[in-house]
Amino acid sequence: MLTIKQIRENRAYTIERLAVKGVDAAEAVDRIEKLDDERKSIQARLDGNLAEQNAIAKEIGMLFKQGKKDEAEAAKARTAALKEASKELDGRLRDVEAELNAEIVKLPNFPNKDVPHGLTAADNVVVRTGGATPELPSDALPHWELARKYDIIDFELGVKLTGAGFPVYKGQGSALQRALISFFLDCNTAAGYTEIMPPLMVNEASGFGTGQLPDKEGQMYHVTADNFYLIPTAEVPVTNIYRDVILSESDFPVKMTAYTPCFRREAGSYGKDVRGLNRLHQFDKVEIVQIAHPDRSYEALDGMIAHVESIVRKLELPYRILRLCGGDMSFTSAITYDFEVFSAAQQRWLEVSSVSNFESFQANRLKLRYRDANKRTQLCHTLNGSSLALPRIVAALLENNQTPEGIRIPAALVPYTRFDTIK
């Protein structure tokens, strides 16, 4: 969440930066400034009333001592009137603050100065590429056909048990899933991330803290009886571990990783781009999260990008890294880099990771702060990234490594799968 200070200190900058995300914020900023002025006016009147009440309280005692009973009673009546007025003002102040907060939370995060202008994925910028694209025979199969051929993923059974977008992994397909999860976690913990095993449901406060609520409630599965939400990513519970926490500067950086199933409604998704593993309602993902000092968060971002890149390289997949344009970024992000791997049988790029710096946006919602050298509390910066999301990684691994003898397993994964070929 943006702070009122960020919005009011440079109105023109606020409108200009949010325009990069395709948001016309001029009217919203006007409403916010008007509400903030009203809030300040009410607060000033409340403060004035309190000061007058304190002054009258001292006067009443002196009037009684001097035997001026009538004047003392009049002063008491004035105090009662001030208290009643303050009660009304306090109620109005709460209403204005709630209205002001509701307006501020509608505004997305400022995009970093390095974020490209643009409204769609076509405007994203390729930062670098790596890996070799395999040459497959003309009869190469897409992963959903390979899954059926080798009986490792059953999409129809998932429809029977739950619905579309809930596949059932079987045999070597299950082993590959488990191997990837363990491999990703081992890579992350070796890089200094502490493994966390969080709940798979969160409350509203957690959803608000990382920005899923009220922005993305339509994409989340809601357990209405208990007002819990199934997590769309481990970022939500893991980052919220530090909600309402004040860190010391010596605590930085906080580095955490977690494997969880993820649940997303993906309302409106249909067509060829959602076939097989391309888009699911339930999928496995390993996440990395950092809480960083504001002066070092972009150094942390560079380290996270390099870390994710090192894992993709170990999987021997062709990849590219994109810097997202303003219109293709999330509500909460200040800057995002997407990793895509090339699916040779589908002849298309598949997103497998997003690595983002949220700067202080999430921290303000979370009330996540640190105490600086002068003992003042400041907002932290938060970052997260997929390390990695499994479905499209599996799709690319199956398609790119298909041979007449079976599907080859990358060497880095063999100690985890305990087989080198899916047959």
Side-chain angles (χ1 to χ4, degrees):
M1 184 170 71
L2 299 176
T3 65
I4 191 67
K5 183 179 179 182
Q6 284 176 304
I7 296 167
R8 297 213 65 163
E9 282 193 347
N10 197 331
R11 183 181 189 278
Y13 178 81
T14 297
I15 294 170
E16 182 271 324
R17 292 318 296 159
L18 294 184
V20 176
K21 282 193 168 182
V23 176
D24 184 353
E27 289 186 8
V29 170
D30 287 342
R31 289 193 297 271
I32 287 167
E33 290 181 334
K34 183 178 178 181
L35 287 166
D36 191 45
D37 287 340
E38 185 177 359
R39 178 190 65 80
K40 290 177 179 178
S41 175
I42 296 171
Q43 188 63 62
R45 290 165 64 188
L46 276 168
D47 292 343
N49 281 4
L50 181 60
E52 188 175 351
Q53 287 177 59
N54 290 337
I56 292 173
K58 295 177 182 177
E59 183 183 350
I60 289 171
M62 293 182 63
L63 290 171
F64 274 120
K65 285 182 181 179
Q66 295 170 3
K68 298 177 180 180
K69 184 177 179 182
D70 291 344
E71 292 181 37
E73 291 297 334
K76 287 173 69 177
R78 172 62 180 158
T79 298
L82 286 168
K83 287 182 178 179
E84 188 62 29
S86 293
K87 184 178 179 181
E88 293 180 9
L89 286 170
D90 192 57
R92 178 57 188 155
L93 180 63
R94 286 197 296 271
D95 290 343
V96 170
E97 287 177 336
E99 194 175 348
L100 175 62
N101 188 68
E103 288 292 335
I104 293 174
V105 298
K106 293 176 186 175
L107 294 179
N109 196 6
F110 291 152
N112 178 275
K113 61 180 176 59
D114 292 332
V115 170
H117 288 253
L119 298 178
T120 69
D123 301 309
N124 295 336
V125 175
V126 177
V127 176
R128 61 180 173 270
T129 61
T133 302
E135 293 186 12
L136 298 182
S138 59
D139 61 349
L141 299 175
H143 69 270
W144 52 86
E145 296 293 345
L146 292 167
R148 180 180 291 108
K149 176 180 179 179
Y150 292 99
D151 195 24
I152 53 176
I153 308 171
D154 195 324
F155 296 101
E156 290 75 18
L157 183 55
V159 172
K160 173 186 175 181
L161 298 178
T162 307
F166 295 89
V168 176
Y169 299 88
K170 303 165 64 178
Q172 287 182 299
S174 298
L176 178 59
Q177 287 284 115
R178 180 159 42 88
L180 283 165
I181 292 164
S182 295
F183 173 63
F184 294 157
L185 285 171
D186 283 353
C187 289
N188 296 344
T189 54
Y193 291 87
T194 299
E195 185 178 348
I196 303 292
M197 189 174 286
L200 303 183
M201 292 192 288
V202 293
N203 53 31
E204 275 190 359
S206 293
F208 177 82
T210 43
Q212 279 70 32
L213 299 175
D215 181 52
K216 296 185 180 70
E217 64 268 34
Q219 292 297 326
M220 298 171 72
Y221 286 101
H222 188 195
V223 184
T224 54
D226 302 294
N227 199 27
F228 293 155
Y229 291 86
L230 289 171
I231 62 169
T233 166
E235 167 202 350
V236 182
V238 172
T239 310
N240 270 277
I241 290 171
Y242 285 86
R243 173 158 42 93
D244 298 319
V245 170
I246 299 177
L247 298 171
S248 300
E249 287 197 76
S250 60
D251 293 326
F252 294 122
V254 176
K255 300 171 69 175
M256 298 172 285
T257 185
Y259 152 69
T260 64
C262 302
F263 305 88
R264 299 183 187 178
R265 294 186 62 239
E266 300 287 6
S269 297
Y270 61 92
K272 66 181 179 61
D273 290 345
V274 302
R275 289 199 67 178
L277 298 171
N278 288 342
R279 193 173 297 275
L280 302 175
H281 295 304
Q282 178 182 324
F283 61 95
D284 293 318
K285 181 157 70 81
V286 176
E287 194 82 356
I288 51 175
V289 172
Q290 284 207 42
I291 300 169
H293 189 285
D295 294 344
R296 296 186 288 276
S297 69
Y298 277 88
E299 179 184 338
L301 178 65
D302 290 342
M304 292 171 75
I305 293 168
H307 174 66
V308 173
E309 186 174 12
S310 72
I311 299 175
V312 176
R313 282 179 172 171
K314 290 174 183 175
L315 293 175
E316 304 171 31
L317 291 171
Y319 68 91
R320 66 181 184 181
I321 304 172
L322 308 175
R323 185 187 299 124
L324 299 193
C325 70
D328 202 30
M329 286 170 58
S330 74
F331 181 85
T332 51
S333 176
I335 191 167
T336 295
Y337 290 84
D338 270 6
F339 281 76
E340 296 180 340
V341 295
F342 190 71
S343 171
Q346 297 180 70
Q347 287 291 298
R348 57 190 293 255
W349 291 97
L350 305 175
E351 180 199 330
V352 295
S353 174
S354 287
V355 183
S356 301
N357 188 346
F358 305 101
E359 296 186 358
S360 62
F361 191 84
Q362 287 184 333
N364 190 35
R365 298 168 79 106
L366 294 159
K367 294 182 172 57
L368 166 54
R369 296 158 290 170
Y370 72 98
R371 207 176 300 280
D372 65 18
N374 297 316
K375 306 301 181 184
R376 293 175 301 187
T377 56
Q378 310 283 351
L379 291 171
C380 302
H381 279 194
T382 62
L383 307 92
N384 82 272
S386 311
S387 182
L388 289 153
L390 271 69
R392 294 170 192 157
I393 287 287
V394 170
L397 286 174
L398 296 180
E399 293 179 4
N400 293 6
N401 294 306
Q402 57 185 296
T403 73
E405 292 74 34
I407 299 170
R408 183 183 66 84
I409 299 298
L413 278 181
V414 172
Y416 293 87
T417 58
R418 297 188 180 89
F419 53 82
D420 58 13
T421 308
I422 294 176
K423 298 181 179 180

